[in-house]
Amino acid sequence: MPASSSSPSPLLLALREGTRDCHKALEARLPFFEASFDVAAYSRLIQAYYGFHAPLEARLGAYQEPMRTKTPTLTLDLQALRLSAADIDALPLCQALPAISSEASALGVMYVLEGSTLGGQVLKRAMAERLGLGPANGTGFFDVYGAQTGNYWRSFLDRLGQASATPAAQAATVQAAIETFQCFENWLGQRHVLN
Ligand code: HEM
């Protein structure tokens, strides 16, 4: 998997350490690898992903570079999964989102969203094998940056490396990342798409 060419920044190490358990817990509850997981269940899961990412990306606003916006790809996936524009407009949206009040907290949220493009490569391949879905017909979100996945991750790590190194800023970033995982897991649980 892609890694930064330079050694990991202290902030990246703190993010990994701070969110390791969150990642494990969420991964264990996601149903992608269940024997009974089918296209209908996949569609419900992507609907719930949309309900989290759409309002969260809106809240990130200018903190997130436009090229990283992933909601349009989720919309295309939902269309490929046969949802109409009206169906998509009517999807429930998560209200309990992580607070974003500074560059520091935005970076924590973005760490989770950007990091998920790495695991996305695994999920893209698994969904092709298990469900016969490809990036053009339902799994675009998991390959949102395509061949640029490694480059986008490295450029995000560069931004992390330039972030304020004060203890308060670093703590705010790690806290926001943990909250992002927790809010996402809570939301997916409420939408009944987790194990
Ligand atoms: C079954 C679902 C998932 C699988 C199989 C999975 C798998 C992976 C793998 C293999 C990596 C390591 C990539 C690397 O070292 O280059 C990774 C990293 C990561 N994933 Fe996941 N992931 C899943 C779900 C998620 C979700 C839902 C999120 C967030 C919403 C997420 C966020 C992250 C983050 C933040 C990283 C850390 C990147 C880093 O610091 O190097 N993952 N995931």
Side-chain angles (χ1 to χ4, degrees):
M1 288 301 241
S4 176
S5 46
S6 52
S7 57
S9 63
L11 180 54
L12 177 59
L13 292 175
L15 281 162
R16 284 185 173 148
E17 170 78 19
T19 60
R20 186 174 296 124
D21 291 348
C22 298
H23 188 286
K24 271 195 200 140
L26 178 54
E27 195 180 336
R29 292 185 69 196
L30 282 164
F32 293 106
F33 297 96
E34 295 291 301
S36 63
F37 192 66
D38 58 11
V39 173
Y42 179 80
S43 175
R44 286 194 297 276
L45 191 49
I46 297 303
Q47 291 170 44
Y49 265 66
Y50 177 94
F52 186 73
H53 285 76
L56 185 55
E57 287 198 320
R59 194 177 276 208
L60 271 172
Y63 286 116
Q64 177 173 255
E65 304 95 314
M67 67 187 192
R68 296 190 187 273
T69 308
K70 293 172 254 315
T71 303
T73 309
L74 280 169
T75 304
L76 290 175
D77 287 343
L78 291 170
Q79 287 168 349
L81 293 163
R82 308 266 184 272
L83 274 81
S84 68
D87 294 335
I88 296 169
D89 278 347
L91 289 174
L93 301 177
C94 180
Q95 309 288 334
L97 293 166
I100 301 171
S101 55
S102 60
E103 168 78 3
S105 48
L107 283 176
V109 173
M110 287 185 67
Y111 166 75
V112 179
L113 302 185
E114 294 306 309
S116 76
T117 68
L118 304 180
Q121 297 296 297
V122 176
L123 296 174
K124 173 190 72 163
R125 285 191 291 273
M127 294 306 100
E129 272 172 33
R130 289 164 171 260
L131 305 180
L133 298 176
N137 66 339
T139 66
F141 174 77
F142 293 114
D143 195 31
V144 64
Y145 302 145
Q148 295 301 314
T149 305
N151 287 335
Y152 274 60
W153 177 243
R154 282 185 289 275
S155 73
F156 177 70
L157 293 187
D158 288 343
R159 185 167 160 194
L160 268 188
Q162 288 155 15
S164 165
T166 66
Q170 299 224 357
T173 301
V174 175
Q175 182 55 34
I178 292 170
E179 273 178 33
T180 305
F181 268 110
Q182 289 171 343
C183 289
F184 192 34
E185 184 171 347
N186 288 341
W187 169 250
L188 296 176
Q190 277 173 39
R191 302 307 305 151
H192 307 290
V193 293
L194 293 181
N195 291 326

